[in-house]
mmCIF file with all atom_site columns, all heavy atoms in Angstrom:
data_model
loop_
_atom_site.group_PDB
_atom_site.id
_atom_site.type_symbol
_atom_site.label_atom_id
_atom_site.label_alt_id
_atom_site.label_comp_id
_atom_site.label_asym_id
_atom_site.label_entity_id
_atom_site.label_seq_id
_atom_site.pdbx_PDB_ins_code
_atom_site.Cartn_x
_atom_site.Cartn_y
_atom_site.Cartn_z
_atom_site.occupancy
_atom_site.B_iso_or_equiv
_atom_site.pdbx_formal_charge
_atom_site.auth_seq_id
_atom_site.auth_comp_id
_atom_site.auth_asym_id
_atom_site.auth_atom_id
_atom_site.pdbx_PDB_model_num
ATOM 1   N N   . VAL J 1 5  ? -15.804 12.193 -13.830 1.00 86.00 ? 1251 VAL J N   1
ATOM 2   C CA  . VAL J 1 5  ? -16.312 10.912 -13.920 1.00 86.00 ? 1251 VAL J CA  1
ATOM 3   C C   . VAL J 1 5  ? -15.473 10.061 -14.833 1.00 86.00 ? 1251 VAL J C   1
ATOM 4   O O   . VAL J 1 5  ? -15.256 8.839  -14.499 1.00 86.00 ? 1251 VAL J O   1
ATOM 5   C CB  . VAL J 1 5  ? -17.851 10.937 -14.489 1.00 86.00 ? 1251 VAL J CB  1
ATOM 6   C CG1 . VAL J 1 5  ? -18.348 9.596  -14.764 1.00 86.00 ? 1251 VAL J CG1 1
ATOM 7   C CG2 . VAL J 1 5  ? -18.740 11.702 -13.623 1.00 86.00 ? 1251 VAL J CG2 1
ATOM 8   N N   . LYS J 1 6  ? -14.983 10.540 -15.953 1.00 86.00 ? 1252 LYS J N   1
ATOM 9   C CA  . LYS J 1 6  ? -14.140 9.750  -16.751 1.00 86.00 ? 1252 LYS J CA  1
ATOM 10  C C   . LYS J 1 6  ? -12.804 9.342  -16.098 1.00 86.00 ? 1252 LYS J C   1
ATOM 11  O O   . LYS J 1 6  ? -12.398 8.208  -16.206 1.00 86.00 ? 1252 LYS J O   1
ATOM 12  C CB  . LYS J 1 6  ? -13.899 10.579 -18.066 1.00 86.00 ? 1252 LYS J CB  1
ATOM 13  C CG  . LYS J 1 6  ? -13.222 9.924  -19.167 1.00 86.00 ? 1252 LYS J CG  1
ATOM 14  C CD  . LYS J 1 6  ? -13.029 10.814 -20.405 1.00 86.00 ? 1252 LYS J CD  1
ATOM 15  C CE  . LYS J 1 6  ? -12.675 10.008 -21.621 1.00 86.00 ? 1252 LYS J CE  1
ATOM 16  N NZ  . LYS J 1 6  ? -12.534 10.891 -22.689 1.00 86.00 ? 1252 LYS J NZ  1
ATOM 17  N N   . SER J 1 7  ? -12.184 10.289 -15.381 1.00 88.00 ? 1253 SER J N   1
ATOM 18  C CA  . SER J 1 7  ? -10.975 9.938  -14.657 1.00 88.00 ? 1253 SER J CA  1
ATOM 19  C C   . SER J 1 7  ? -11.186 8.871  -13.594 1.00 88.00 ? 1253 SER J C   1
ATOM 20  O O   . SER J 1 7  ? -10.295 8.054  -13.339 1.00 88.00 ? 1253 SER J O   1
ATOM 21  C CB  . SER J 1 7  ? -10.315 11.094 -14.093 1.00 88.00 ? 1253 SER J CB  1
ATOM 22  O OG  . SER J 1 7  ? -11.022 11.717 -13.063 1.00 88.00 ? 1253 SER J OG  1
ATOM 23  N N   . LYS J 1 8  ? -12.352 8.938  -12.897 1.00 90.00 ? 1254 LYS J N   1
ATOM 24  C CA  . LYS J 1 8  ? -12.655 7.945  -11.822 1.00 90.00 ? 1254 LYS J CA  1
ATOM 25  C C   . LYS J 1 8  ? -12.908 6.562  -12.480 1.00 90.00 ? 1254 LYS J C   1
ATOM 26  O O   . LYS J 1 8  ? -12.343 5.496  -12.012 1.00 90.00 ? 1254 LYS J O   1
ATOM 27  C CB  . LYS J 1 8  ? -13.924 8.349  -11.082 1.00 90.00 ? 1254 LYS J CB  1
ATOM 28  C CG  . LYS J 1 8  ? -13.706 9.450  -10.045 1.00 90.00 ? 1254 LYS J CG  1
ATOM 29  C CD  . LYS J 1 8  ? -14.948 9.726  -9.316  1.00 90.00 ? 1254 LYS J CD  1
ATOM 30  C CE  . LYS J 1 8  ? -14.681 10.917 -8.387  1.00 90.00 ? 1254 LYS J CE  1
ATOM 31  N NZ  . LYS J 1 8  ? -15.983 11.307 -7.704  1.00 90.00 ? 1254 LYS J NZ  1
ATOM 32  N N   . ALA J 1 9  ? -13.520 6.513  -13.619 1.00 90.00 ? 1255 ALA J N   1
ATOM 33  C CA  . ALA J 1 9  ? -13.720 5.334  -14.356 1.00 90.00 ? 1255 ALA J CA  1
ATOM 34  C C   . ALA J 1 9  ? -12.328 4.705  -14.759 1.00 90.00 ? 1255 ALA J C   1
ATOM 35  O O   . ALA J 1 9  ? -12.221 3.520  -14.714 1.00 90.00 ? 1255 ALA J O   1
ATOM 36  C CB  . ALA J 1 9  ? -14.642 5.447  -15.559 1.00 90.00 ? 1255 ALA J CB  1
ATOM 37  N N   . LEU J 1 10 ? -11.530 5.521  -15.317 1.00 89.00 ? 1256 LEU J N   1
ATOM 38  C CA  . LEU J 1 10 ? -10.169 5.001  -15.731 1.00 89.00 ? 1256 LEU J CA  1
ATOM 39  C C   . LEU J 1 10 ? -9.344  4.546  -14.593 1.00 89.00 ? 1256 LEU J C   1
ATOM 40  O O   . LEU J 1 10 ? -8.613  3.492  -14.659 1.00 89.00 ? 1256 LEU J O   1
ATOM 41  C CB  . LEU J 1 10 ? -9.392  6.168  -16.489 1.00 89.00 ? 1256 LEU J CB  1
ATOM 42  C CG  . LEU J 1 10 ? -9.910  6.578  -17.755 1.00 89.00 ? 1256 LEU J CG  1
ATOM 43  C CD1 . LEU J 1 10 ? -9.141  7.718  -18.352 1.00 89.00 ? 1256 LEU J CD1 1
ATOM 44  C CD2 . LEU J 1 10 ? -9.813  5.440  -18.758 1.00 89.00 ? 1256 LEU J CD2 1
ATOM 45  N N   . PHE J 1 11 ? -9.389  5.249  -13.376 1.00 88.00 ? 1257 PHE J N   1
ATOM 46  C CA  . PHE J 1 11 ? -8.824  4.766  -12.221 1.00 88.00 ? 1257 PHE J CA  1
ATOM 47  C C   . PHE J 1 11 ? -9.234  3.442  -11.805 1.00 88.00 ? 1257 PHE J C   1
ATOM 48  O O   . PHE J 1 11 ? -8.470  2.546  -11.366 1.00 88.00 ? 1257 PHE J O   1
ATOM 49  C CB  . PHE J 1 11 ? -8.847  5.770  -11.037 1.00 88.00 ? 1257 PHE J CB  1
ATOM 50  C CG  . PHE J 1 11 ? -8.268  5.388  -9.822  1.00 88.00 ? 1257 PHE J CG  1
ATOM 51  C CD1 . PHE J 1 11 ? -6.805  5.693  -9.613  1.00 88.00 ? 1257 PHE J CD1 1
ATOM 52  C CD2 . PHE J 1 11 ? -8.832  4.811  -8.748  1.00 88.00 ? 1257 PHE J CD2 1
ATOM 53  C CE1 . PHE J 1 11 ? -6.125  5.251  -8.507  1.00 88.00 ? 1257 PHE J CE1 1
ATOM 54  C CE2 . PHE J 1 11 ? -8.248  4.520  -7.614  1.00 88.00 ? 1257 PHE J CE2 1
ATOM 55  C CZ  . PHE J 1 11 ? -6.908  4.662  -7.476  1.00 88.00 ? 1257 PHE J CZ  1
ATOM 56  N N   . ALA J 1 12 ? -10.580 3.281  -11.781 1.00 90.00 ? 1258 ALA J N   1
ATOM 57  C CA  . ALA J 1 12 ? -11.194 2.025  -11.306 1.00 90.00 ? 1258 ALA J CA  1
ATOM 58  C C   . ALA J 1 12 ? -10.673 0.864  -12.273 1.00 90.00 ? 1258 ALA J C   1
ATOM 59  O O   . ALA J 1 12 ? -10.409 -0.318 -11.858 1.00 90.00 ? 1258 ALA J O   1
ATOM 60  C CB  . ALA J 1 12 ? -12.670 2.144  -11.364 1.00 90.00 ? 1258 ALA J CB  1
ATOM 61  N N   . ARG J 1 13 ? -10.699 1.076  -13.623 1.00 89.00 ? 1259 ARG J N   1
ATOM 62  C CA  . ARG J 1 13 ? -10.122 0.068  -14.535 1.00 89.00 ? 1259 ARG J CA  1
ATOM 63  C C   . ARG J 1 13 ? -8.723  -0.374 -14.248 1.00 89.00 ? 1259 ARG J C   1
ATOM 64  O O   . ARG J 1 13 ? -8.349  -1.499 -14.279 1.00 89.00 ? 1259 ARG J O   1
ATOM 65  C CB  . ARG J 1 13 ? -10.297 0.490  -15.935 1.00 89.00 ? 1259 ARG J CB  1
ATOM 66  C CG  . ARG J 1 13 ? -11.708 0.514  -16.436 1.00 89.00 ? 1259 ARG J CG  1
ATOM 67  C CD  . ARG J 1 13 ? -11.756 1.028  -17.868 1.00 89.00 ? 1259 ARG J CD  1
ATOM 68  N NE  . ARG J 1 13 ? -10.884 0.424  -18.771 1.00 89.00 ? 1259 ARG J NE  1
ATOM 69  C CZ  . ARG J 1 13 ? -10.530 0.778  -19.933 1.00 89.00 ? 1259 ARG J CZ  1
ATOM 70  N NH1 . ARG J 1 13 ? -11.036 2.005  -20.330 1.00 89.00 ? 1259 ARG J NH1 1
ATOM 71  N NH2 . ARG J 1 13 ? -9.691  0.087  -20.684 1.00 89.00 ? 1259 ARG J NH2 1
ATOM 72  N N   . ARG J 1 14 ? -7.817  0.723  -13.893 1.00 86.00 ? 1260 ARG J N   1
ATOM 73  C CA  . ARG J 1 14 ? -6.477  0.441  -13.736 1.00 86.00 ? 1260 ARG J CA  1
ATOM 74  C C   . ARG J 1 14 ? -6.311  -0.253 -12.449 1.00 86.00 ? 1260 ARG J C   1
ATOM 75  O O   . ARG J 1 14 ? -5.516  -1.327 -12.358 1.00 86.00 ? 1260 ARG J O   1
ATOM 76  C CB  . ARG J 1 14 ? -5.754  1.811  -13.608 1.00 86.00 ? 1260 ARG J CB  1
ATOM 77  C CG  . ARG J 1 14 ? -4.258  1.638  -13.492 1.00 86.00 ? 1260 ARG J CG  1
ATOM 78  C CD  . ARG J 1 14 ? -3.476  2.833  -13.753 1.00 86.00 ? 1260 ARG J CD  1
ATOM 79  N NE  . ARG J 1 14 ? -3.917  3.953  -12.823 1.00 86.00 ? 1260 ARG J NE  1
ATOM 80  C CZ  . ARG J 1 14 ? -4.427  5.188  -13.127 1.00 86.00 ? 1260 ARG J CZ  1
ATOM 81  N NH1 . ARG J 1 14 ? -4.526  5.476  -14.432 1.00 86.00 ? 1260 ARG J NH1 1
ATOM 82  N NH2 . ARG J 1 14 ? -4.777  6.031  -12.303 1.00 86.00 ? 1260 ARG J NH2 1
ATOM 83  N N   . LYS J 1 15 ? -7.153  0.006  -11.390 1.00 86.00 ? 1261 LYS J N   1
ATOM 84  C CA  . LYS J 1 15 ? -7.072  -0.598 -10.100 1.00 86.00 ? 1261 LYS J CA  1
ATOM 85  C C   . LYS J 1 15 ? -7.437  -2.177 -10.310 1.00 86.00 ? 1261 LYS J C   1
ATOM 86  O O   . LYS J 1 15 ? -6.837  -3.099 -9.789  1.00 86.00 ? 1261 LYS J O   1
ATOM 87  C CB  . LYS J 1 15 ? -7.973  -0.034 -9.235  1.00 86.00 ? 1261 LYS J CB  1
ATOM 88  C CG  . LYS J 1 15 ? -8.084  -0.407 -7.785  1.00 86.00 ? 1261 LYS J CG  1
ATOM 89  C CD  . LYS J 1 15 ? -9.039  0.334  -7.006  1.00 86.00 ? 1261 LYS J CD  1
ATOM 90  C CE  . LYS J 1 15 ? -9.156  -0.298 -5.560  1.00 86.00 ? 1261 LYS J CE  1
ATOM 91  N NZ  . LYS J 1 15 ? -10.019 0.506  -4.743  1.00 86.00 ? 1261 LYS J NZ  1
ATOM 92  N N   . GLN J 1 16 ? -8.586  -2.436 -11.074 1.00 88.00 ? 1262 GLN J N   1
ATOM 93  C CA  . GLN J 1 16 ? -8.876  -3.817 -11.228 1.00 88.00 ? 1262 GLN J CA  1
ATOM 94  C C   . GLN J 1 16 ? -7.820  -4.544 -12.071 1.00 88.00 ? 1262 GLN J C   1
ATOM 95  O O   . GLN J 1 16 ? -7.641  -5.816 -11.833 1.00 88.00 ? 1262 GLN J O   1
ATOM 96  C CB  . GLN J 1 16 ? -10.297 -3.883 -12.003 1.00 88.00 ? 1262 GLN J CB  1
ATOM 97  C CG  . GLN J 1 16 ? -11.350 -3.392 -11.138 1.00 88.00 ? 1262 GLN J CG  1
ATOM 98  C CD  . GLN J 1 16 ? -11.587 -4.227 -9.858  1.00 88.00 ? 1262 GLN J CD  1
ATOM 99  O OE1 . GLN J 1 16 ? -11.446 -5.478 -9.860  1.00 88.00 ? 1262 GLN J OE1 1
ATOM 100 N NE2 . GLN J 1 16 ? -11.726 -3.555 -8.714  1.00 88.00 ? 1262 GLN J NE2 1
ATOM 101 N N   . ARG J 1 17 ? -7.231  -3.949 -13.050 1.00 85.00 ? 1263 ARG J N   1
ATOM 102 C CA  . ARG J 1 17 ? -6.199  -4.555 -13.830 1.00 85.00 ? 1263 ARG J CA  1
ATOM 103 C C   . ARG J 1 17 ? -5.043  -4.962 -12.942 1.00 85.00 ? 1263 ARG J C   1
ATOM 104 O O   . ARG J 1 17 ? -4.607  -6.145 -13.100 1.00 85.00 ? 1263 ARG J O   1
ATOM 105 C CB  . ARG J 1 17 ? -5.873  -3.708 -14.994 1.00 85.00 ? 1263 ARG J CB  1
ATOM 106 C CG  . ARG J 1 17 ? -4.766  -4.336 -16.003 1.00 85.00 ? 1263 ARG J CG  1
ATOM 107 C CD  . ARG J 1 17 ? -4.512  -3.500 -17.062 1.00 85.00 ? 1263 ARG J CD  1
ATOM 108 N NE  . ARG J 1 17 ? -3.895  -2.225 -16.718 1.00 85.00 ? 1263 ARG J NE  1
ATOM 109 C CZ  . ARG J 1 17 ? -4.262  -1.048 -16.971 1.00 85.00 ? 1263 ARG J CZ  1
ATOM 110 N NH1 . ARG J 1 17 ? -5.298  -0.788 -17.660 1.00 85.00 ? 1263 ARG J NH1 1
ATOM 111 N NH2 . ARG J 1 17 ? -3.562  0.051  -16.558 1.00 85.00 ? 1263 ARG J NH2 1
#
Side-chain angles (χ1 to χ4, degrees):
V1251 172
K1252 194 175 187 180
S1253 64
K1254 285 181 183 179
L1256 291 173
F1257 180 80
R1259 283 180 55 200
R1260 186 169 56 239
K1261 183 177 177 181
Q1262 290 303 317
R1263 185 176 63 235

